[in-house]
Amino acid sequence: MYPETPGQLPAERAVTIHRPTPITPIQAAPLIPVQLGTVPAVASIVLPDGRVVTGYAIEPAKPEPAVAKPLVSRTAVNIALGGIGFGAVCGGLVLLTTFIAALAALIQQLIILAAVVFGGFIGVQVLGSSRGGTTVNIRKAVFKRNKFHG
């Protein structure tokens, strides 16, 4: 604080308040390459407060050409290709299961056919036919010295 002088009260002291003036930011103009041997035209602008600003005329900056975006994103293409691959695999798995089921049915029918054919052959042999055959009667038999005595 200020040193107190004798006979001066704090309320009598003069206080000066300084407020800074804000500075508006200046946007830097883009640099434009100038061809050698040519001098750009000088332009003057009158500001609203009456000041005159003189300088070189600057062409407005041209925006960079936009890069053409693809019609379909790469992610969508990858998802579609994955779906196509999955569908192809599923189709193959369906064909594989169909092939296994058909092979199982074929083996089952071959077993049934073998049972019918060989079962009929054995049945004919066991039951015999009415054309005549050999009848064997088994009685008490005695074997002596490897000879049958009946």
Side-chain angles (χ1 to χ4, degrees):
M1 298 294 292
Y2 298 106
E4 294 287 329
T5 57
Q8 190 180 27
L9 296 175
E12 296 174 354
R13 246 187 273 131
V15 178
T16 307
I17 299 175
H18 296 281
R19 291 199 169 92
T21 307
I23 299 174
T24 57
I26 300 173
Q27 296 182 355
L31 295 176
I32 299 174
V34 178
Q35 296 177 356
L36 294 175
T38 61
V39 177
V42 177
S44 295
I45 300 173
V46 179
L47 297 177
D49 60 354
R51 294 182 293 163
V52 177
V53 178
T54 304
Y56 293 108
I58 299 174
E59 294 180 18
K62 297 177 184 175
E64 294 182 21
V67 178
K69 293 177 93 177
L71 296 176
V72 181
S73 70
R74 293 185 60 82
T75 304
V77 170
N78 290 338
I79 290 172
L81 289 177
I84 291 171
F86 184 73
V89 168
C90 287
L93 290 176
V94 168
L95 289 176
L96 181 64
T97 54
T98 305
F99 174 74
I100 292 172
L103 186 63
L106 176 68
I107 292 172
Q108 180 183 7
Q109 289 186 0
L110 287 176
I111 291 172
I112 292 171
L113 179 66
V116 168
V117 170
F118 291 117
F121 178 73
I122 293 171
V124 168
Q125 293 297 323
V126 169
L127 296 177
S129 62
S130 59
R131 289 185 269 157
T134 306
T135 304
V136 177
N137 293 321
I138 300 175
R139 299 184 233 156
K140 276 184 164 181
V142 179
F143 288 92
K144 291 183 180 177
R145 292 186 186 173
N146 292 331
K147 285 195 172 189
F148 177 72
H149 299 281

